[in-house]
């Protein structure tokens, strides 16, 4: 946004030590809706891009629009695409959107009874917002029963007041992004995320340990299928129901033998996918998002991306995703940012003149390259320049595409 020629002044709420170099940070929490609305009035802010999902689900976009502020982000009703997995599955059923077979349950007894209709492995999801961690792929019936018990016992707070049981789909996962102004749709690139905490895709699900963009596995033909069979029907269904979707649709996909199927939606760009998309984007982002926010997407130019690839590695605090260790000192960020590398701050804070960890996922070390292999090498070279003793990262981000490039005679 700060690089956009059309952006005269950028504010961030609450911001962090990374974004403060590019925006004026306001001491307002992302879930303080009254404070955010007041800040818009105090600073004559005329356009807001909502980053996190919780304020969208809480209705921030609706309240800002009522004050005459243009907003990139869906209203509360349409944000249920992310706020409730059951809502999205039901919409898919109504609109004929390809997705996994499912059942939505509001009690443990109901869920246990429904479990008998599914093969193992099976996917158990907390219905509500769970910071990307409310999904369990159960390899045994006992694991599935334990996941159901945990969710209804409050392991994910109110997110587990209902659960969705889903058929386990096989294939490769990819992410596809599209902008919508409530009526029109515009493609905005692809990425591939790495959800499991450990190398080789093992361990519990996280909010994402790294990503790369674009995802070659999502071919132009498959992207066209995603737009026609998944994205457009979603936008049309929400518009027909009187809850038009304005913002970015982040579709998590499974590329099955029967074609792409929707896993779930995010109502925002998402982390770490956003970082790799923005490293490649070359246009005026503020102008494009403003066009979506004001119903003018049909007359906007399509997004322009640089050739090659971007890859990001998440540096997380020890203990993540369970109980991350906060307060660990971080040094070497400036040294890492050379040769086109960008270190995006996520869970960081200032402690005097030091940068310290203040969350689970702390940094996103992001590099570009002609190939995924080259981008991966540059990203890990930058990771190794950072001194973060109480942190860790996966060392295999991009492994699928690196293996494909190696097999096809690309860089080793």
């Amino acid at each position: 946004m700060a690089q956009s020629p059309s952006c005269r002044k950028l504010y961030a709420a609450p911001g962090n030590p990374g974004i403060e170099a590019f925006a004026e940070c306001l001491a307002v929490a992302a879930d303080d809706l009254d404070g955010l609305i007041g800040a818009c009035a105090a600073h004559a802010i005329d356009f807001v891009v909502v980053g996190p999902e919780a304020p969208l689900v809480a209705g921030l976009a609706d309240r800002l629009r009522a004050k005459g502020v243009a907003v990139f982000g869906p209203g509360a009703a349409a944000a249920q695409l992310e706020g409730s997995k059951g809502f999205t599955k039901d919409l898919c059923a109504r609109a004929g959107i390809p997705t996994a077979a499912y059942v939505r349950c509001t009690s443990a007894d109901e869920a246990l009874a429904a479990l008998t209709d599914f093969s193992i492995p099976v996917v158990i999801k907390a219905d509500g917002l769970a910071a990307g961690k409310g999904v369990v792929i159960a390899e045994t019936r006992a694991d599935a029963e334990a996941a159901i018990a945990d969710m209804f016992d409050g392991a994910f707070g109110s997110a587990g007041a209902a659960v969705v049981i889903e058929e386990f789909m096989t294939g490769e996962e990819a992410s596809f992004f599209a902008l919508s102004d409530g009526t029109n749709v515009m493609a905005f690139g692809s990425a591939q995320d790495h959800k499991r905490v450990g190398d080789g895709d093992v361990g519990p699900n996280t909010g994402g340990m790294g990503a790369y963009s674009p995802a070659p596995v999502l071919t132009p033909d498959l992207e066209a299928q995603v737009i026609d069979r998944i994205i457009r029907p979603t936008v049309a269904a929400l518009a027909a129901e009187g809850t038009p979707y304005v913002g970015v649709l982040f579709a998590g996909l499974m590329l099955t033998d029967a074609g792409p199927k929707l896993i779930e939606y995010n109502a925002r760009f998402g982390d770490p996918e956003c970082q790799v998309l923005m490293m490649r984007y070359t246009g005026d982002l503020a102008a494009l998002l403003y066009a979506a926010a004001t119903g003018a997407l049909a007359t906007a130019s399509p997004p322009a991306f640089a050739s090659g690839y971007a890859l990001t590695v998440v540096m997380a605090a020890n203990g993540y995703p369970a109980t991350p260790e906060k307060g660990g000192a971080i040094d070497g960020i400036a040294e890492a940012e050379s040769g086109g590398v960008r270190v995006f701050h996520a869970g960081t804070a200032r402690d005097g003149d030091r940068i310290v960890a203040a969350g689970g996922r702390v940094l996103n070390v992001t590099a570009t390259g002609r190939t995924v292999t080259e981008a991966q090498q540059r990203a890990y070279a930058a990771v190794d320049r950072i001194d973060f003793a109480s942190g860790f990262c996966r060392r295999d981000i991009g492994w699928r595409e690196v293996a494909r490039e190696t097999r096809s005679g690309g860089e080793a």
Side-chain angles (χ1 to χ4, degrees), residues 289-357:
L289 302 191
Y290 187 77
T294 56
L297 202 56
T299 59
S301 299
F305 292 96
S307 61
Y309 295 86
L311 182 143
T312 189
V313 177
V314 170
M315 299 188 76
N318 287 342
Y320 179 78
T323 307
E325 179 183 337
K326 297 182 180 180
I330 305 165
D331 292 299
I333 291 176
E335 291 79 5
E337 288 194 313
S338 62
V341 173
R342 172 74 71 190
V343 179
F344 293 98
H345 292 234
T348 65
R350 288 198 179 277
D351 182 9
D353 60 354
R354 303 291 297 278
I355 302 294
V356 299

Side-chain angles (χ1 to χ4, degrees), residues 64-407:
L64 287 171
R65 289 187 180 111
K67 297 289 186 180
V69 179
V71 183
F72 183 82
Q80 285 299 301
L81 279 183
E82 180 167 4
S84 168
K85 295 177 178 64
F87 173 91
T88 299
K89 300 295 285 192
D90 290 348
L91 182 143
C92 288
R94 294 195 303 274
I97 295 167
T99 188
Y102 76 103
V103 65
R104 190 178 183 181
C105 304
T106 56
S107 72
D109 288 343
E110 181 185 7
L112 291 172
L115 194 57
T116 60
D117 295 329
F118 290 84
S119 301
I120 300 295
V122 65
V123 182
I124 313 294
K125 296 181 176 181
D127 181 71
L129 296 177
K133 298 188 282 287
V135 177
V136 175
I137 300 172
E139 301 288 349
T140 67
R141 182 178 173 88
D143 289 343
E145 291 173 350
I148 289 168
D150 286 346
M151 289 180 188
F152 282 108
D153 284 345
F156 299 102
S158 60
V163 304
V164 172
I165 303 175
E166 282 188 12
E167 161 199 21
F168 177 78
M169 296 187 289
T170 58
E172 191 162 341
E173 290 188 41
S175 302
F176 182 77
F177 300 80
L179 309 182
S180 172
D181 62 6
T183 303
N184 302 290
V185 168
M186 179 183 286
F188 197 91
S190 65
Q192 194 162 52
D193 188 13
H194 299 65
K195 285 291 187 192
R196 298 295 188 103
V197 72
D199 286 10
D201 294 320
V202 300
N205 273 324
T206 72
M209 294 300 293
Y212 63 90
S213 175
V217 69
L218 202 56
T219 63
D221 176 63
L222 290 176
E223 286 193 3
Q225 292 182 43
V226 172
I227 292 172
D228 291 341
R229 300 177 187 176
I230 297 175
I231 303 295
R232 291 192 194 281
T234 299
V235 171
L238 289 170
E241 293 171 10
T243 56
Y245 190 97
V246 176
V248 61
L249 279 168
F250 169 170
L253 305 168
M254 184 67 75
L255 306 182
T256 74
D257 290 341
K261 293 187 177 184
L262 181 69
I263 301 173
E264 61 187 18
Y265 275 125
N266 287 347
R268 60 206 157 87
F269 275 108
D271 170 19
E273 293 87 351
C274 184
Q275 287 86 338
V276 287
L277 286 171
M278 295 307 156
M279 284 289 281
R280 299 176 50 236
Y281 182 69
T282 60
D284 187 325
L285 183 70
L288 183 58
L289 302 191
Y290 187 77
T294 56
L297 202 56
T299 59
S301 299
F305 292 96
S307 61
Y309 295 86
L311 182 143
T312 189
V313 177
V314 170
M315 299 188 76
N318 287 342
Y320 179 78
T323 307
E325 179 183 337
K326 297 182 180 180
I330 305 165
D331 292 299
I333 291 176
E335 291 79 5
E337 288 194 313
S338 62
V341 173
R342 172 74 71 190
V343 179
F344 293 98
H345 292 234
T348 65
R350 288 198 179 277
D351 182 9
D353 60 354
R354 303 291 297 278
I355 302 294
V356 299
R361 290 180 298 159
V362 179
L363 300 172
N364 289 263
V365 183
T366 314
T368 57
R370 290 172 293 112
T371 62
V372 174
T373 303
E374 184 176 70
Q376 183 197 60
Q377 291 169 346
R378 290 177 176 175
Y380 280 112
V383 165
D384 292 339
R385 296 187 188 104
I386 295 173
D387 181 6
F388 180 22
S390 63
F392 74 100
C393 67
R394 280 183 57 165
R395 303 297 304 195
D396 65 345
I397 301 302
W399 67 268
R400 290 183 182 85
E401 199 57 38
V402 168
R404 282 190 279 259
E405 288 177 354
T406 302
R407 288 196 298 270

